[in-house]
């Protein structure tokens, strides 16, 4: 689901060299959310290299918790499809993508006033359009630096329980819209059969409730909890490590760990791993 910032590092520093035009990527992991346990996610991406152009399409699934607290945004199980294209000219990589998806809210909510348990069922959608610009710069033999900037627009359906003074909790559905920008740098060390990279970026959004960024595996899976200011802007840092190891001439193993710093709703850590198969 590029242009994820860490996935960009793996794209720019492949662990297995191959002249193949097609590649299949299968990955999965967990996002550790504050006070919400761990949320699983899996994805599959098929890409085709045609000279300086890369076309890709894929699907992803993000798990949703089956419990929620009154007045919080409800967790959602999400299916998402993404199409994208990248173009390389010299050291510059230009990438654009679009995502659409469906979100299913099906949590159990316990009314703390009378201990009554209520199951809500609702559905919503999401749409994201974005792009990035990356400069691939060799800085020393085996070392590459890749500064980048990205921008995305997202419209994300959310659901929240409302606890009235009397009666059972109600559900409030709304669409959150916002623009998110990211700027950062990845530095990678490449050697025969593998690579290791570090990543640091700063991000800002006009509405953190709308965040569904391809730029961050950390935030892609989470459902933000927004006490008070539902449509407030936010700014934070992201940092992480990524690595790749060649298993054969056509297969490599990728892994990454990322974390937020300064995100208003609590820091989130994401761990992912997957395989790339060239053919």
């Amino acid at each position: 689901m590029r242009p994820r910032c860490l996935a960009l590092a793996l794209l720019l520093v492949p662990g297995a060299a191959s002249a193949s035009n097609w590649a299949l990527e299968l990955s999965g992991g967990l996002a550790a959310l504050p006070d919400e346990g761990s949320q699983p996610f899996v994805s599959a991406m098929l890409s085709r290299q045609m000279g300086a152009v890369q076309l890709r399409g894929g699907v992803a699934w993000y798990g949703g918790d089956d419990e929620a607290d009154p007045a919080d945004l409800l967790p959602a199980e999400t299916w998402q499809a993404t199409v994208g294209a990248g173009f390389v000219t010299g050291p510059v990589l230009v990438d654009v993508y679009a995502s659409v998806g469906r979100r299913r809210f099906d949590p159990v909510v316990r009314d703390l006033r009378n201990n009554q348990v209520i199951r809500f069922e609702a559905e919503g959608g999401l749409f994201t359009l974005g792009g990035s610009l990356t400069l691939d710069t060799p800085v020393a033999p085996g070392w590459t630096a890749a500064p980048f900037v990205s921008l995305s627009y997202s419209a994300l359906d959310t659901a929240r329980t409302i606890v009235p003074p009397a009666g059972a909790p109600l559900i409030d559905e709304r669409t959150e819209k916002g623009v998110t920008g990211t700027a950062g740098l990845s530095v990678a060390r490449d050697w025969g059969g593998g690579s290791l990279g570090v990543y640091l970026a700063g991000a800002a959004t006009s509405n953190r409730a709308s965040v569904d960024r391809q730029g961050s595996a950390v935030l892609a899976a989470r459902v933000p909890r927004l006490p008070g200011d539902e449509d407030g802007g936010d700014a934070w840092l992201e940092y992480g490590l990524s690595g790749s190891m060649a298993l054969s001439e056509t297969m490599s193993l990728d892994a990454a760990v990322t974390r937020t710093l300064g995100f208003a709703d609590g820091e989130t850590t994401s761990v992912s791993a997957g395989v790339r198969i060239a053919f």
Side-chain angles (χ1 to χ4, degrees), residues 2 45 54 62 64 74 89 103 119 149 171 204 211 222-223 233-234 239 251 259 270 277:
R2 292 181 174 81
M45 180 71 66
Q54 184 203 60
Y62 303 105
L74 302 181
T89 173
R103 314 186 73 211
R119 177 173 291 276
V149 293
I171 188 168
V211 169
R222 70 173 297 141
V223 177
D234 196 10
Y239 58 96
M251 182 180 296
R259 182 171 173 81
S270 177
I277 305 170

Side-chain angles (χ1 to χ4, degrees), residues 169-205:
L170 306 174
I171 188 168
D172 175 34
E173 300 179 61
R174 63 182 64 187
T175 299
E176 301 286 356
K177 301 177 181 180
V179 176
T180 301
T182 308
L185 173 71
S186 62
V187 178
R189 175 70 167 92
D190 188 22
W191 65 90
S195 66
L196 182 65
V198 296
Y199 154 75
L200 176 65
T205 182

